[in-house]
Amino acid sequence: MEKIRMTTPLVEMDGDEMTRIIWRMVKDELLLPYIDLKTEYYDLGLEHRNETDDQVTIDSAEATKKYGVAVKCATITPNAARMTEYNLKEMWKSPNGTIRAALDGTVFRMPIIVKGIEPYVKNWEKPITLARHAYGDVYKNTEIKVPGAGKAELVFTGADGTEIRETIHEFDGPGILQGIHNTDESIRNFATTCFNYALDTKQDLWFATKDTISKKYDHNFKDIFQEIYDAEYKEKFDEAGIEYFYTLIDDAVARVMRAKGGFIWACKNYDGDVMSDMVSSAFGDLAMMTSVLVSPGGAYEYEAAHGTVQRHYYQYLKGEKTTTNSVATIFAWTGALRKRGELDGIPELVQFADKLEKASIQTIEEGKMTKGLSLISSIQNVTVLDCEAFIKEIRKTFDTL
Ligand code: NAP
Ligand code: MG
């Protein structure tokens, strides 16, 4: 059989521990036999990040800007224990943070839906994609523990020296204070990326804040979204038959619980942090969750939403079989290959991605899955497979399609 040819390389970001092992297996079993795989390889494994003083992470982000599509393996974010374990020169920053900062992206997280692994919310028939603004607010705050009575003020001093001053509170005794910010530029990028992603995936876009209470801060988010929508997207949304829907955050939460799914839910930074964990656990399993970082410049970086699965890696090193589920890693690859195929006009690559996703889902629906899924599955007579056997089973299914 002739292999599918690619014209532009994918930016391949290799990673750490068990996901690095899975990465190799997925490539060897499911990709290389069928595709003349073209990638520009960056080793983001912690050892190589340390050797290159983390330059490799920056280079991989730059390559993503250049080529437009990347696929990333999970990576270790170093902490004190990793400093000793890997004998690190420095406590290198989170690669995801570095890449996000370079691309100024928004993270979209979407569950992979399989019959027999039902969401805890019974009416969710289609995936809910959560789009989280990843800049500012409480994540870049300044806080004061107020020691006692006194006056708290909010002061802005303009570059030309003009001052804006507002009283926050007259304290009679001890308390707390917090200063947060965002920028119009970052909110604009967030809005644009969400509108583009909705068009790209032909799904409605929901956005919600607390603008009735926060009449300037949250209202600014609402206004910027509306302004960009009216000026640049209204017609395109009408043509695509999709809708932009704004409501209050508490109303959004209530509606999401009653909805069928099949839309994108854009959230401010904190709401996105909280709601993405709620949505993903309600859909069943972290290993069935994909994630894509989309930049306003139009670059895409696909990955699994889970980490490097350290505990399983230590079992693997002892020569034991592991129960690691590779589905999210497979879908990171199919997401990236499909996007590359669309951008380069290679329908075979798009069809390959569709077929591999179908094979992965069908394998599970036929009752063949890893242990974690078997515990939450309603399918009868399940065959529990180890990590490698499951990947081989997906290949068998793929060859029958
Ligand atoms: P984790 O790797 O996601 O694993 C946490 C636990 O979740 C695992 O021990 C396992 O549970 C279960 N799990 C996660 N993915 C699974 C899969 N594919 N198949 C089966 N079970 C799975 O999170 P962590 O242990 O907190 O973090 C480990 C390392 O990953 C850390 O160094 C962290 O910095 C890094 N990390 C990277 C990313 C990223 O690159 N995007 C994201 C998060 C964390 P059981 O042990 O019960 O089987
Ligand atoms: Mg969180």
Side-chain angles (χ1 to χ4, degrees), residues 120-137:
Y120 291 103
V121 182
K122 292 290 165 241
N123 44 289
W124 287 358
E125 290 165 12
K126 291 180 190 168
I128 295 169
T129 302
L130 213 126
R132 173 180 170 190
H133 185 212
Y135 178 82
D137 302 350

Side-chain angles (χ1 to χ4, degrees), residues 34-187:
Y34 308 99
I35 303 173
D36 193 8
L37 195 66
K38 239 182 154 167
T39 73
E40 195 166 290
Y41 180 82
Y42 292 86
D43 184 0
L44 267 55
L46 187 51
E47 276 161 28
H48 193 240
R49 273 183 275 152
N50 192 50
E51 277 162 29
T52 62
D53 294 338
D54 209 22
Q55 185 61 38
V56 65
T57 308
I58 295 161
D59 292 346
S60 72
E62 288 306 316
T64 306
K65 280 192 204 164
K66 178 176 162 194
Y67 292 113
V69 188
V71 55
K72 181 180 171 291
C73 180
T75 46
I76 293 169
T77 299
N79 55 15
R82 302 297 197 167
M83 292 290 288
T84 347
E85 187 184 352
Y86 285 84
N87 195 15
L88 300 180
K89 295 187 239 176
E90 254 183 60
M91 202 184 284
W92 307 109
K93 287 192 201 146
S94 145
N96 284 37
T98 303
I99 294 164
R100 216 175 287 160
L103 297 176
D104 187 15
T106 300
V107 177
F108 295 84
R109 274 191 169 191
M110 188 176 74
I112 299 155
I113 304 284
V114 174
K115 275 196 226 84
I117 316 285
E118 317 299 347
Y120 291 103
V121 182
K122 292 290 165 241
N123 44 289
W124 287 358
E125 290 165 12
K126 291 180 190 168
I128 295 169
T129 302
L130 213 126
R132 173 180 170 190
H133 185 212
Y135 178 82
D137 302 350
V138 71
Y139 302 85
K140 272 199 176 292
N141 68 356
T142 308
E143 300 186 328
I144 297 176
K145 216 163 150 39
V146 174
K151 182 172 162 186
E153 292 179 291
L154 196 57
V155 182
F156 169 78
T157 314
D160 65 356
T162 44
E163 200 180 89
I164 306 174
R165 185 178 288 264
E166 295 281 351
T167 301
I168 299 171
H169 189 64
E170 308 261 6
F171 284 91
D172 300 329
I176 41 180
L177 268 172
Q178 181 179 63
I180 60 171
H181 81 281
N182 224 300
T183 69
D184 283 5
E185 189 191 5
S186 178
I187 300 168

Side-chain angles (χ1 to χ4, degrees), residues 111-128 256-257 259-262 278-285 288-289 373 376-378:
I112 299 155
I113 304 284
V114 174
K115 275 196 226 84
I117 316 285
E118 317 299 347
Y120 291 103
V121 182
K122 292 290 165 241
N123 44 289
W124 287 358
E125 290 165 12
K126 291 180 190 168
I128 295 169
V256 164
M257 296 311 285
K260 287 198 162 67
M278 187 200 70
V279 170
S280 63
S281 44
F283 269 108
D285 194 339
M288 297 295 283
M289 187 69 58
L373 282 187
I376 55 168
S377 149
S378 62

Side-chain angles (χ1 to χ4, degrees), residues 202-267:
K202 296 212 169 34
Q203 297 183 86
D204 290 346
L205 176 69
W206 294 20
F207 181 48
T209 71
K210 194 70 185 175
D211 65 282
T212 46
I213 298 297
S214 173
K215 291 193 167 62
K216 288 188 178 136
Y217 199 103
D218 277 20
H219 217 290
N220 193 49
F221 277 86
K222 179 185 178 182
D223 290 345
I224 288 177
F225 266 72
Q226 195 62 50
E227 177 201 315
I228 294 179
Y229 177 69
D230 291 341
E232 295 170 43
Y233 289 94
K234 193 172 179 335
E235 275 174 35
K236 292 179 193 159
F237 268 50
D238 288 346
E239 267 167 42
I242 56 171
E243 183 188 10
Y244 168 59
F245 171 61
Y246 178 87
T247 186
L248 284 170
I249 185 69
D250 34 357
D251 181 48
V253 170
R255 283 173 189 264
V256 164
M257 296 311 285
R258 294 192 306 263
K260 287 198 162 67
F263 56 88
I264 299 160
W265 185 11
C267 286

